[in-house]
Amino acid sequence: MMHGAVATDLDQTLVALADPTRRAIVQRLSRGEARVTDLAEPFAMSLNSVSKHIRMLERARLVRRRRVGREHVLSFDPRPLDEAAAWITAQQAAWGGRLRAMDEMLRAEDARAAESQAVREAGEARRTRETGETRETGEARRTRETRETRETRETRETGKTRSVQTRKRAAGAVRTGKGRAR
């Protein structure tokens, strides 16, 4: 955890570097000292606007100002950047460890889920085989019952047909006078 002064310095450093104009000024000063008027020259803004950017960089301690006669000469101080880089490196290490631990946890969870899925699929395959055998038995039973029903119906119909034919013969014999049917 960072204490107040360091956090404030880091905040100022990061805020100062958030603007592209200020980053360009820092980049120019990293090559060596320069006068304020020389720094303002490449920017399409007033000297007063450039001075405001420079003051922001001075508050963040990224730029030091010294006077040489009437000239203001600025130089770059890399220490705040080193502090920011150290903080970023510490954050990367902390988050890297956390992310590795999370990755390992998620991989283990995925492996357990895959194992559970394989067990479920094996159970479903077993149930399907068992149900398939039951279906075959059921289908065989239905086929047999259908066959038996058909045979029973045919027997009944055949029996009815025979009894109808027998009655017709008997009726015909009575009409013709031949006596009773056999």
Side-chain angles (χ1 to χ4, degrees):
M1 189 81 163
M2 297 175 58
H3 53 351
V6 175
T8 302
D9 290 344
L10 179 63
D11 291 347
Q12 288 181 349
T13 299
L14 295 176
V15 167
L17 294 173
D19 184 82
T21 301
R22 292 190 288 267
R23 286 194 304 269
I25 292 170
V26 167
Q27 188 173 19
R28 166 54 189 89
L29 289 175
S30 68
R31 293 190 303 260
E33 290 183 337
R35 297 179 312 158
V36 174
T37 52
D38 293 336
L39 285 175
E41 194 175 302
F43 299 107
M45 61 179 75
S46 68
L47 183 60
N48 189 33
S49 295
V50 172
S51 292
K52 287 180 181 180
H53 283 293
I54 292 170
R55 279 194 296 280
M56 185 81 144
L57 291 168
E58 287 176 313
R59 270 189 298 241
R61 300 176 315 134
L62 288 164
V63 171
R64 289 184 298 221
R65 182 187 300 253
R66 66 183 176 86
R67 288 183 75 169
V68 178
R70 296 183 64 156
E71 297 282 322
H72 290 259
V73 179
L74 302 173
S75 62
F76 172 61
D77 184 358
R79 285 179 295 179
L81 281 182
D82 294 339
E83 292 169 9
W87 180 82
I88 290 169
T89 301
Q91 295 305 306
Q92 285 177 323
W95 279 103
R98 290 177 186 146
L99 291 173
R100 278 188 299 281
M102 185 184 294
D103 184 52
E104 289 170 10
M105 181 190 70
L106 291 173
R107 287 180 191 275
E109 189 176 296
D110 287 347
R112 283 191 305 274
E115 186 177 315
S116 294
Q117 181 65 25
V119 168
R120 275 194 304 277
E121 288 174 358
E124 288 175 12
R126 183 180 41 77
R127 282 191 296 281
T128 301
R129 280 193 309 274
E130 290 170 357
T131 306
E133 292 168 9
T134 304
R135 281 189 192 134
E136 289 174 23
T137 304
E139 288 175 25
R141 186 177 58 246
R142 281 192 296 281
T143 302
R144 183 177 35 79
E145 289 171 355
T146 303
R147 191 177 337 110
E148 289 172 358
T149 305
R150 193 177 320 121
E151 288 171 0
T152 304
R153 191 175 343 116
E154 286 173 359
T155 303
R156 261 189 272 130
E157 288 175 0
T158 306
K160 285 181 185 175
T161 306
R162 285 186 188 148
S163 64
V164 169
Q165 287 173 350
T166 306
R167 275 186 261 143
K168 282 184 182 177
R169 277 191 218 131
V174 169
R175 265 187 259 143
T176 57
K178 292 187 177 178
R180 296 216 170 231
R182 343 169 201 162

